[in-house]
Amino acid sequence: MKDRVCESKENYLETILILHNRNGEVRSVDIAAEMDFSKPSVSVAMKNLREEGCVNVDKNGYITLTDKGREIAERVYERHLLFTGWLISLGVPEDIASEDACRIEHDLSAESFSAIKEFIAKHKN
């Protein structure tokens, strides 16, 4: 199981990706609102992500993903979408499916995810 720091980092990066896709630009206040976190918590997280080379923050406070950050965010988001859709197709209500997908997306190995993804693709319809 991954540690909470890694899961938190992945959640922030995924949220930045989603907000960028939705709004075209992202600021800390947007992340705080989306994740229901305090602005100071988001500021600390952005500092850490910047130091890790996952995000850039410009002089106006706009946040963009680096190539490294985008790769992580897209991997997590792909997992989230796949698991949410799969659980919904099994009859799980959308809100519960999304919450459960969020739990699964961080802890599953790349090998298991690949096998599940292949299985789902083969058994559609």
Side-chain angles (χ1 to χ4, degrees):
M1 182 180 270
K2 288 189 177 186
D3 61 44
R4 290 285 164 223
V5 173
C6 188
E7 183 175 329
S8 176
K9 176 174 101 172
E10 289 176 347
N11 282 334
Y12 274 108
L13 295 172
E14 181 183 22
T15 298
I16 294 167
L17 177 69
I18 291 166
L19 288 169
H20 182 267
N21 289 344
R22 185 188 308 152
N23 304 332
E25 53 190 32
V26 181
R27 296 170 301 146
S28 288
V29 66
D30 304 320
I31 298 167
E34 184 76 13
M35 298 180 84
D36 198 25
F37 289 170
S38 71
K39 292 176 193 171
S41 294
V42 173
S43 292
V44 169
M46 291 308 104
K47 177 183 179 281
N48 293 337
L49 289 172
R50 197 171 54 245
E51 289 173 355
E52 291 179 33
C54 293
V55 300
N56 292 314
V57 182
D58 73 15
K59 64 182 179 175
N60 297 315
Y62 290 103
I63 300 164
T64 55
L65 295 168
T66 63
D67 289 344
K68 176 183 176 182
R70 179 169 293 282
E71 181 180 322
I72 295 166
E74 287 177 347
R75 183 188 73 237
V76 174
Y77 192 48
E78 176 190 21
R79 288 171 173 231
H80 185 86
L81 293 175
L82 181 103
F83 289 128
T84 299
W86 184 42
L87 292 168
I88 289 169
S89 76
L90 296 173
V92 177
E94 186 175 349
D95 58 332
I96 295 172
S98 183
E99 288 176 22
D100 287 346
C102 195
R103 290 184 190 96
I104 297 167
E105 69 196 23
H106 300 287
D107 291 330
L108 199 66
S109 70
E111 294 81 5
S112 292
F113 176 71
S114 181
I116 291 168
K117 184 178 171 180
E118 190 175 308
F119 177 85
I120 291 169
K122 284 182 183 176
H123 293 87
K124 276 193 169 180
N125 300 337

